Each structure stands twice: as C-alpha cells, then as structure tokens.
Amino acid sequence: MKTKNIEQIAAPRPAHFVGDGFRVHNFIPGVPGMSMQRMDPFIMFDYNAKYHFGPSEIPRGVGVHPHKGFETVTIAYKGRVEHGDSSGGGGVIGEGDVQWMTAASGVLHKEFHETEWSKTGGEFQMVQLWVNLPAEAKKGQPKYQAIEHAQMPHYNLTDGRGFIEVIAGEYQGVKGPATTFTPIHMSNLKAQVGANVTYEFPTTYNTLLLVVEGRIKVNGSEVQQDHVAVMAHDGEQFSVEVIDDAVVLVLAGLPIKEPIAHYGPFVMNTQEELLQAFDDFNTGKFGTWN
C-alpha cells in the first residue's frame, strides 16, 4: 500500500462574520489550492474556531436565506445552535451533534444561537461544510438528518489512547449513521498524546484533516491547531500521531466530477440552472418561512 502524502498544510485565513453569530475562517474555496473542483465533493468549508460570545437576549445568527443544489453539514464542538428550514427540518444541535440538511431542489433556512445558550453566551466552535450533490440529486426533495452525539458509534483505538467517532462512511468496520448520496467518510478522532492512527482511503478520494484541538503529526509532519492538511492523490494510507491531546476532523470523499456552477447560496451544473434557481426562489418555490 502506497503512502498518501501531504499536498499542503493551510493556516486559517483572516476571520469574517456570517450574519452576527458565526465568526469563520474559510478554507474551501478561499485557500489557494483548495478550490471547489479540487476538493469535490466538499465545496465549502467554514470553520468557526473557538470564540467567546457574550450574553445576548436576542440570539445571534443568520436570518432566512435560500439554498439549492447541495447539502449543508454543521458539526458542533462548543455551543448550541437552533436550525430550521421550510421543508420542516430543524431542531437544536448541541456539543458533539451534527446537522445534515439536504437542500436539493431548494429550501429556505435560518440558524441562530440556541435561545437559552445565547442568554449566557460562552465558547463557540463549529464547522460548516457544503457537500455537493450529483446532478440528479439536485432535483430531489429536501431532507434533514439530525445526528445526535449519542448516535455516533466509536472505534476504540487499540493503544487505549482514544477513539474515533464515525459520522459518515466507516472506519475499521464501524459505520456512521449519516446517509450520503456519494461515498463520503466523516469522523472525529479524539485522542491523547502518544496515540497513533492509520487511515486508508482510495487514491482518488479528496482527503483533508482539520485539527480542532491540540497538535498532530501526519506522516511525521506537524499540523497545528486550527490548521488543515490536504492530502495528495499519490497513495492510499497515511498515519496520524497525536503530540498534544487532540480532536481531529477527518474528511474523505469520492469526487463527483460534474461541472460546478456556483453563485451565492446555489450550486448547480450550468449557468442556465443557476438562473432557474434564482427564478424558483423569487417565485416562492422554496416554500415560505418567517
């Protein structure tokens, strides 16, 4: 088995606010070498690194906005968020939970800090991904997967120094609860200093790691907290050594390899489909949402 080497290690870009509730560093498509086409099926990656929000009687967040043609995946590490969409999906995601919304043919969506959490504030740390859909699935019905932390199966490391929570795909036969339209692996490694883990994905998969907490070495090269390592397409296997107690988000997926036409909250295959998406939104086909 050949080694999958590091293609690049990316530091977080300057933060910006999405609405008034999410202070994010954009990796995809903002970092050179991490375009939508290169990282397909992961077409947007915003990381709200650990940030303290003060108390607020009015929850901070993002008001009603449309999505079409892809899925949003929100992973909560610290803090609590309320979500809702015009297809009836939604709820509260707390620490360790995942919200997986399939916008498909179009929804209206809103997301805010959870009301009671907002009153006291605290540390907030989240990831939001956009996962592309194949052309046929972009026409499908919206759906929603609320994946609670307790639902995520664990693979316990053989050295006893931690475990892997599998969200989607599998690790060593342990399968995650999320359903996906194309082959995707998504997991959190939570391990203590000294842990060693080996990952194996097909050469063709686009693969990246975000160090949410701590420090690791990937194939012997150090990756610091809040940094991303993008893996090359030169092999299947790579190793992770934990050098400070760590939480690491690991993503790998088979590229869809279809044309990407993107504007704002819509990701389609052609410019004509983008125009249709705007028309669908403007004529109320995404439903109504207050």
Side-chain angles (χ1 to χ4, degrees):
M1 185 133 338
K2 291 185 64 177
T3 298
K4 186 186 287 289
N5 290 297
I6 293 175
E7 183 171 294
Q8 70 161 313
I9 296 173
R13 289 161 52 88
H16 68 276
F17 270 88
V18 177
D20 63 358
F22 304 93
R23 181 183 180 273
V24 302
H25 308 272
N26 178 257
F27 285 100
I28 303 171
V31 172
M34 294 179 67
S35 67
M36 290 182 170
Q37 290 78 8
R38 167 62 184 85
M39 303 311 301
D40 175 25
F42 310 112
I43 52 174
M44 198 279 291
F45 189 128
D46 273 350
Y47 172 47
N48 192 132
K50 198 179 296 181
Y51 183 78
H52 185 87
F53 283 97
S56 175
E57 288 297 316
I58 300 174
R60 300 177 177 92
V62 182
V64 176
H65 55 281
H67 289 306
K68 182 175 182 176
F70 60 97
E71 302 180 287
T72 68
V73 181
T74 303
I75 306 169
Y77 293 99
K78 292 186 179 296
R80 293 172 64 81
V81 172
E82 292 182 14
H83 279 262
D85 68 58
S86 55
S87 73
V92 174
I93 59 170
E95 294 186 7
D97 298 344
V98 173
Q99 172 261 0
W100 198 303
M101 184 187 75
T102 304
S105 59
V107 295
L108 302 179
H109 183 228
K110 61 182 178 181
E111 50 197 335
F112 291 90
H113 296 178
E114 191 266 332
T115 302
E116 293 305 313
W117 186 90
S118 187
K119 290 177 182 178
T120 58
E123 283 194 326
F124 193 84
Q125 188 177 28
M126 303 257 169
V127 164
Q128 186 170 91
L129 286 163
W130 289 7
V131 177
N132 204 8
L133 289 170
E136 194 59 33
K138 292 179 186 291
K139 305 172 187 175
Q141 291 298 309
K143 70 172 187 173
Y144 185 93
Q145 300 176 73
I147 304 169
E148 296 182 358
H149 188 223
Q151 290 178 263
M152 297 177 197
H154 290 185
Y155 172 84
N156 294 315
L157 303 183
T158 55
D159 59 13
R161 295 180 182 269
F163 54 89
I164 293 171
E165 295 175 344
V166 185
I167 301 166
E170 67 176 89
Y171 184 87
Q172 299 290 2
V174 176
K175 296 182 179 181
T179 60
T180 64
F181 287 83
T182 57
I184 287 173
H185 172 93
M186 186 180 299
S187 66
N188 282 309
L189 167 66
K190 297 183 176 181
Q192 300 167 354
V193 59
N196 283 274
V197 185
T198 299
Y199 290 90
E200 182 183 320
F201 302 113
T203 303
T204 54
Y205 276 36
N206 287 326
T207 305
L208 66 156
L209 299 83
L210 167 70
V211 182
V212 177
E213 298 280 354
R215 286 186 304 146
I216 62 173
K217 286 185 177 179
V218 180
N219 296 339
S221 296
E222 184 173 322
V223 186
Q224 299 178 24
Q225 184 168 319
D226 300 335
H227 286 53
V228 161
V230 178
M231 309 307 291
H233 295 127
D234 54 355
E236 301 85 18
Q237 195 174 83
F238 61 93
S239 64
V240 172
E241 178 189 355
V242 176
I243 53 179
D244 277 332
D245 292 358
V247 177
V248 183
L249 174 64
V250 179
L251 303 173
L254 178 69
I256 296 172
K257 292 187 176 179
E258 292 178 352
I260 296 174
H262 164 241
Y263 191 91
F266 305 135
V267 182
M268 306 305 293
N269 296 109
T270 67
Q271 292 299 313
E272 290 76 16
E273 289 171 344
L274 274 182
L275 292 174
Q276 185 62 53
F278 276 98
D279 187 62
D280 289 348
F281 168 58
N282 290 327
T283 56
K285 292 182 180 178
F286 292 3
T288 58
W289 193 247
N290 295 323

